[in-house]
Protein backbone atom coordinates (compact mmCIF):
# COMPACT_ATOMS: atom_id res chain seq x y z
CA UNK A 1 0.00 0.00 0.00
CA UNK A 2 1.32 3.43 -0.90
CA UNK A 3 2.29 5.83 1.89
CA UNK A 4 -0.41 8.34 0.99
CA UNK A 5 -3.12 5.69 0.91
CA UNK A 6 -2.01 4.31 4.28
CA UNK A 7 -2.17 7.76 5.87
CA UNK A 8 -5.68 8.34 4.51
CA UNK A 9 -6.85 4.94 5.72
CA UNK A 10 -5.47 5.67 9.20
CA UNK A 11 -7.15 9.10 9.30
CA UNK A 12 -10.47 7.54 8.26
CA UNK A 13 -10.16 4.92 11.00
CA UNK A 14 -9.59 7.65 13.62
CA UNK A 15 -12.61 9.60 12.36
CA UNK A 16 -14.84 6.54 12.56
CA UNK A 17 -13.56 5.71 16.04
CA UNK A 18 -14.40 9.26 17.17
CA UNK A 19 -17.95 9.00 15.78
CA UNK A 20 -18.43 5.57 17.31
CA UNK A 21 -17.32 6.82 20.73
CA UNK A 22 -19.69 9.78 20.56
CA UNK A 23 -22.53 7.47 19.50
CA UNK A 24 -21.88 5.09 22.41
CA UNK A 25 -21.75 7.92 24.95
CA UNK A 26 -24.85 9.58 23.51
CA UNK A 27 -23.36 13.04 23.92
CA UNK A 28 -23.94 14.20 20.33
CA UNK A 29 -26.63 13.69 17.73
CA UNK A 30 -24.93 12.64 14.50
CA UNK A 31 -26.51 13.74 11.20
CA UNK A 32 -27.97 10.98 9.10
CA UNK A 33 -26.03 10.04 5.96
CA UNK A 34 -27.75 8.36 2.97
CA UNK A 35 -26.60 4.81 2.27
CA UNK A 36 -24.18 4.32 -0.60
CA UNK A 37 -25.80 3.31 -3.87
CA UNK A 38 -29.18 4.84 -3.05
CA UNK A 39 -30.88 7.48 -5.17
CA UNK A 40 -30.38 10.11 -2.47
CA UNK A 41 -26.61 9.53 -2.32
CA UNK A 42 -26.27 9.69 -6.12
CA UNK A 43 -28.45 12.77 -6.59
CA UNK A 44 -26.22 15.91 -6.86
CA UNK A 45 -29.10 18.20 -5.95
CA UNK A 46 -29.87 16.26 -2.77
CA UNK A 47 -26.18 16.25 -1.76
CA UNK A 48 -25.97 20.00 -2.31
CA UNK A 49 -29.04 20.64 -0.14
CA UNK A 50 -27.54 18.48 2.61
CA UNK A 51 -24.28 20.44 2.51
CA UNK A 52 -26.17 23.74 2.75
CA UNK A 53 -28.20 22.43 5.69
CA UNK A 54 -25.08 21.19 7.51
CA UNK A 55 -23.37 24.53 6.92
CA UNK A 56 -26.31 26.39 8.48
CA UNK A 57 -26.29 24.05 11.47
CA UNK A 58 -22.55 24.48 11.99
CA UNK A 59 -22.85 28.26 11.81
CA UNK A 60 -25.65 28.22 14.42
CA UNK A 61 -23.58 25.92 16.66
CA UNK A 62 -20.58 28.20 16.36
CA UNK A 63 -22.70 31.18 17.43
CA UNK A 64 -23.95 29.27 20.49
CA UNK A 65 -20.37 28.28 21.37
CA UNK A 66 -19.25 31.92 21.11
CA UNK A 67 -22.07 32.99 23.45
CA UNK A 68 -21.16 30.31 25.98
CA UNK A 69 -17.49 31.34 25.82
CA UNK A 70 -18.55 34.90 26.57
CA UNK A 71 -20.54 33.68 29.60
CA UNK A 72 -17.55 31.71 30.84
CA UNK A 73 -15.33 34.76 30.46
CA UNK A 74 -17.53 36.73 32.84
CA UNK A 75 -17.03 36.22 36.57
CA UNK A 76 -19.79 34.36 38.41
CA UNK A 77 -20.23 33.68 42.12
CA UNK A 78 -22.40 30.57 41.69
CA UNK A 79 -20.08 27.58 41.08
CA UNK A 80 -22.96 25.22 40.29
CA UNK A 81 -24.14 27.44 37.44
CA UNK A 82 -20.57 27.62 36.10
CA UNK A 83 -20.27 23.83 36.06
CA UNK A 84 -23.50 23.58 34.09
CA UNK A 85 -22.27 26.19 31.60
CA UNK A 86 -18.95 24.35 31.16
CA UNK A 87 -20.78 21.07 30.54
CA UNK A 88 -23.03 22.72 27.96
CA UNK A 89 -19.95 24.25 26.30
CA UNK A 90 -18.25 20.84 26.04
CA UNK A 91 -21.35 19.17 24.57
CA UNK A 92 -21.85 21.93 21.97
CA UNK A 93 -18.21 21.76 20.98
CA UNK A 94 -18.39 17.98 20.47
CA UNK A 95 -21.56 18.33 18.39
CA UNK A 96 -19.80 20.87 16.15
CA UNK A 97 -16.81 18.54 15.72
CA UNK A 98 -19.14 15.66 14.81
CA UNK A 99 -20.63 17.70 11.96
CA UNK A 100 -17.16 18.73 10.77
CA UNK A 101 -15.95 15.12 10.84
CA UNK A 102 -18.92 14.08 8.71
CA UNK A 103 -17.93 16.64 6.05
CA UNK A 104 -14.27 15.59 6.25
CA UNK A 105 -15.21 11.93 5.78
CA UNK A 106 -16.90 12.63 2.46
CA UNK A 107 -13.81 14.47 1.22
CA UNK A 108 -11.58 11.72 2.59
CA UNK A 109 -13.48 9.05 0.67
CA UNK A 110 -13.01 10.96 -2.60
CA UNK A 111 -9.28 11.36 -1.98
CA UNK A 112 -8.98 7.68 -1.08
CA UNK A 113 -10.53 6.68 -4.40
CA UNK A 114 -8.00 8.79 -6.30
CA UNK A 115 -5.09 7.43 -4.22
CA UNK A 116 -6.15 3.82 -4.88
CA UNK A 117 -6.44 4.49 -8.60
CA UNK A 118 -2.91 5.93 -8.59
CA UNK A 119 -1.66 2.80 -6.78
CA UNK A 120 -3.25 0.58 -9.40
CA UNK A 121 -1.68 2.61 -12.20
CA UNK A 122 1.77 2.32 -10.59
CA UNK A 123 1.38 -1.44 -10.12
CA UNK A 124 0.30 -1.96 -13.73
CA UNK A 125 3.24 0.15 -14.98
CA UNK A 126 5.69 -1.90 -12.90
CA UNK A 127 4.20 -5.17 -14.14
CA UNK A 128 4.47 -4.06 -17.76
CA UNK A 129 8.09 -3.06 -17.24
CA UNK A 130 8.92 -6.38 -15.61
CA UNK A 131 7.25 -8.33 -18.41
CA UNK A 132 9.48 -6.79 -21.05
CA UNK A 133 12.57 -8.55 -22.38
CA UNK A 134 15.68 -8.17 -20.18
CA UNK A 135 18.06 -5.41 -21.16
CA UNK A 136 21.23 -6.29 -23.05
CA UNK A 137 23.10 -3.07 -22.27
CA UNK A 138 25.35 -4.84 -19.75
CA UNK A 139 26.66 -7.25 -22.41
CA UNK A 140 29.93 -6.66 -24.22
CA UNK A 141 28.20 -7.44 -27.51
CA UNK A 142 25.05 -5.40 -26.82
CA UNK A 143 25.54 -3.50 -30.08
CA UNK A 144 25.19 -6.73 -32.07
CA UNK A 145 21.57 -7.14 -30.98
CA UNK A 146 20.62 -3.99 -32.87
CA UNK A 147 22.43 -4.95 -36.07
CA UNK A 148 20.45 -6.40 -38.99
CA UNK A 149 21.97 -8.77 -41.50
CA UNK A 150 21.26 -7.23 -44.96
CA UNK A 151 21.23 -10.67 -46.63
CA UNK A 152 18.76 -12.41 -44.34
CA UNK A 153 16.94 -9.35 -42.95
CA UNK A 154 17.22 -10.77 -39.42
CA UNK A 155 19.11 -9.64 -36.36
CA UNK A 156 22.78 -10.56 -36.31
CA UNK A 157 23.89 -13.45 -34.15
CA UNK A 158 25.23 -12.33 -30.74
CA UNK A 159 28.95 -12.60 -30.15
CA UNK A 160 28.49 -14.34 -26.77
CA UNK A 161 25.86 -16.71 -25.45
CA UNK A 162 24.09 -16.47 -22.09
CA UNK A 163 27.00 -18.24 -20.35
CA UNK A 164 29.55 -15.76 -21.75
CA UNK A 165 31.11 -18.14 -24.26
CA UNK A 166 32.07 -16.70 -27.68
CA UNK A 167 29.88 -17.85 -30.56
CA UNK A 168 31.89 -16.23 -33.38
CA UNK A 169 35.32 -14.63 -33.86
CA UNK A 170 35.75 -11.07 -32.58
CA UNK A 171 38.55 -8.51 -32.23
CA UNK A 172 39.38 -6.55 -29.08
CA UNK A 173 40.33 -2.95 -29.86
CA UNK A 174 42.21 -0.57 -27.60
CA UNK A 175 40.68 2.91 -27.68
CA UNK A 176 42.96 4.34 -24.99
CA UNK A 177 45.13 6.27 -27.46
CA UNK A 178 42.07 7.55 -29.33
CA UNK A 179 40.49 8.78 -26.10
CA UNK A 180 43.80 10.36 -25.05
CA UNK A 181 44.10 12.22 -28.37
CA UNK A 182 40.55 13.53 -28.04
CA UNK A 183 41.21 14.78 -24.49
CA UNK A 184 44.45 16.65 -25.24
CA UNK A 185 43.52 18.01 -28.68
CA UNK A 186 42.98 21.79 -29.17
CA UNK A 187 39.57 23.22 -28.44
CA UNK A 188 39.20 24.58 -31.96
CA UNK A 189 38.81 22.77 -35.27
CA UNK A 190 42.15 22.11 -36.94
CA UNK A 191 42.55 22.72 -40.72
CA UNK A 192 42.50 19.70 -42.95
CA UNK A 193 44.18 21.32 -46.00
CA UNK A 194 46.28 24.34 -46.91
CA UNK A 195 44.98 27.46 -48.64
CA UNK A 196 46.62 26.49 -51.94
CA UNK A 197 45.02 23.04 -51.81
CA UNK A 198 41.62 24.60 -51.15
CA UNK A 199 41.97 27.03 -54.06
CA UNK A 200 43.09 24.22 -56.35
CA UNK A 201 40.07 22.15 -55.30
CA UNK A 202 37.70 25.06 -55.91
CA UNK A 203 39.30 25.69 -59.32
CA UNK A 204 38.72 22.06 -60.26
CA UNK A 205 35.09 22.38 -59.24
CA UNK A 206 34.73 25.44 -61.50
CA UNK A 207 34.01 27.89 -58.68
CA UNK A 208 36.91 30.22 -59.65
CA UNK A 209 36.66 32.20 -62.90
CA UNK A 210 40.00 32.95 -64.51
CA UNK A 211 40.70 35.58 -67.19
CA UNK A 212 38.13 38.33 -67.80
CA UNK A 213 37.55 41.41 -69.99
CA UNK A 214 39.94 44.14 -71.01
CA UNK A 215 41.35 46.18 -68.17
CA UNK A 216 40.50 49.92 -68.26
CA UNK A 217 43.14 52.26 -69.65
CA UNK A 218 45.12 54.12 -67.02
CA UNK A 219 44.28 57.82 -66.53
CA UNK A 220 46.63 59.90 -68.68
CA UNK A 221 48.97 62.22 -66.85
CA UNK A 222 48.68 65.99 -67.55
CA UNK A 223 51.66 67.61 -69.11
CA UNK A 224 53.17 70.42 -67.02
CA UNK A 225 53.42 72.64 -70.13
CA UNK A 226 49.70 72.22 -70.98
CA UNK A 227 48.36 75.21 -69.04
CA UNK A 228 44.80 74.87 -70.30
CA UNK A 229 44.57 71.27 -69.05
CA UNK A 230 46.12 72.30 -65.74
CA UNK A 231 43.65 75.19 -65.35
CA UNK A 232 40.73 72.87 -66.17
CA UNK A 233 41.87 70.36 -63.55
CA UNK A 234 42.25 73.15 -60.98
CA UNK A 235 38.76 74.49 -61.74
CA UNK A 236 37.34 71.00 -61.46
CA UNK A 237 38.90 70.57 -58.00
CA UNK A 238 37.58 74.00 -56.88
CA UNK A 239 34.09 73.19 -58.05
CA UNK A 240 34.21 69.91 -56.12
CA UNK A 241 35.45 71.74 -53.01
CA UNK A 242 32.61 74.27 -53.31
CA UNK A 243 30.09 71.46 -53.71
CA UNK A 244 31.35 69.60 -50.63
CA UNK A 245 31.25 72.87 -48.60
CA UNK A 246 27.67 73.61 -49.61
CA UNK A 247 26.54 69.98 -49.26
CA UNK A 248 28.18 68.39 -46.21
CA UNK A 249 28.06 64.66 -45.90
CA UNK A 250 24.69 63.41 -44.68
CA UNK A 251 22.89 66.73 -45.19
CA UNK A 252 20.29 65.13 -47.45
CA UNK A 253 19.21 62.68 -44.73
CA UNK A 254 18.48 65.34 -42.08
CA UNK A 255 15.76 67.16 -43.99
CA UNK A 256 17.47 70.53 -43.54
CA UNK A 257 16.42 71.79 -46.98
CA UNK A 258 12.73 71.18 -46.37
CA UNK A 259 10.58 74.29 -46.15
Amino acid sequence: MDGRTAILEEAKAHYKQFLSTCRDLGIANQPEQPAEGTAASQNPGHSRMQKIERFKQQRAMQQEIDEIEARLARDSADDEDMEEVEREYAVKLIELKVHQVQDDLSLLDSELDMARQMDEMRKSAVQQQDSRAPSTEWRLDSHSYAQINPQTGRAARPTFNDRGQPMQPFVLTNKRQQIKDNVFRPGWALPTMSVDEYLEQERERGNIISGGGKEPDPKPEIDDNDYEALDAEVMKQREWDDFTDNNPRGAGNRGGNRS
Side-chain angles (χ1 to χ4, degrees):
M1 183 180 295
D2 187 63
R4 181 62 178 173
T5 307
I7 293 173
L8 295 175
E9 290 284 0
E10 184 178 0
K12 184 177 180 179
H14 286 304
Y15 278 168
K16 288 186 174 296
Q17 183 179 3
F18 170 74
L19 295 177
S20 177
T21 303
C22 294
R23 189 183 302 107
D24 296 339
L25 296 176
I27 58 177
N29 295 325
Q30 301 181 14
E32 296 182 358
Q33 296 289 337
E36 296 182 358
T38 59
S41 62
Q42 297 178 357
N43 187 358
H46 186 270
S47 300
R48 182 173 179 274
M49 294 301 297
Q50 281 189 337
K51 291 180 180 179
I52 295 174
E53 186 65 25
R54 286 199 300 269
F55 175 75
K56 292 180 180 180
Q57 293 177 0
Q58 292 178 15
R59 186 172 58 181
M61 291 179 183
Q62 188 63 48
Q63 292 178 356
E64 293 179 0
I65 291 173
D66 294 340
E67 293 176 358
I68 296 174
E69 287 179 351
R71 291 173 57 187
L72 291 174
R74 294 194 298 267
D75 295 334
S76 177
D78 193 352
D79 294 338
E80 294 181 358
D81 292 342
M82 288 297 298
E83 291 180 358
E84 186 65 25
V85 172
E86 290 177 355
R87 182 180 182 280
E88 184 181 0
Y89 173 75
V91 171
K92 292 293 184 182
L93 188 61
I94 293 175
E95 289 179 352
L96 178 61
K97 294 302 178 184
V98 167
H99 281 75
Q100 292 176 352
V101 166
Q102 290 287 349
D103 292 339
D104 293 342
L105 274 175
S106 60
L107 298 176
L108 193 61
D109 291 335
S110 301
E111 190 172 356
L112 264 174
D113 293 339
M114 290 188 293
R116 288 166 181 161
Q117 292 178 4
M118 292 298 297
D119 292 343
E120 293 296 332
M121 292 173 61
R122 292 192 190 98
K123 290 179 182 178
S124 61
V126 172
Q127 292 176 358
Q128 291 179 1
Q129 186 176 3
D130 294 341
S131 61
R132 294 175 182 174
S135 176
T136 58
E137 295 180 356
W138 60 273
R139 300 178 63 97
L140 295 175
D141 59 340
S142 59
H143 65 281
S144 64
Y145 285 86
Q147 297 178 354
I148 302 298
N149 190 342
Q151 297 179 356
T152 61
R154 300 179 180 178
R157 187 176 61 175
T159 307
F160 301 93
N161 57 15
D162 296 337
R163 292 176 294 179
Q165 298 175 352
M167 300 178 61
Q168 58 184 353
F170 63 94
V171 179
L172 294 177
T173 58
N174 187 5
K175 296 184 179 180
R176 179 177 299 178
Q177 187 63 32
Q178 181 181 357
I179 296 174
K180 181 180 178 180
D181 295 339
N182 292 333
V183 171
F184 294 101
R185 68 181 179 86
W188 59 89
L190 298 177
T192 59
M193 63 179 68
S194 63
V195 177
D196 295 337
E197 292 175 350
Y198 172 74
L199 293 176
E200 184 64 26
Q201 185 178 0
E202 290 295 319
R203 186 178 293 107
E204 292 177 357
R205 293 177 179 175
N207 296 331
I208 297 178
I209 300 175
S210 60
K214 183 179 178 181
E215 296 183 358
D217 297 333
K219 185 178 180 180
E221 296 182 359
I222 301 175
D223 189 5
D224 294 340
N225 296 325
D226 191 355
Y227 298 105
E228 293 183 359
L230 292 175
D231 293 341
E233 183 68 21
V234 172
M235 292 300 296
K236 184 177 180 181
Q237 291 293 335
R238 288 180 180 177
E239 291 176 357
W240 176 250
D241 293 340
D242 294 340
F243 178 80
T244 54
D245 292 340
N246 296 329
N247 300 278
R249 186 176 183 179
N253 297 330
R254 294 197 294 264
N257 296 330
R258 297 178 182 177
S259 57

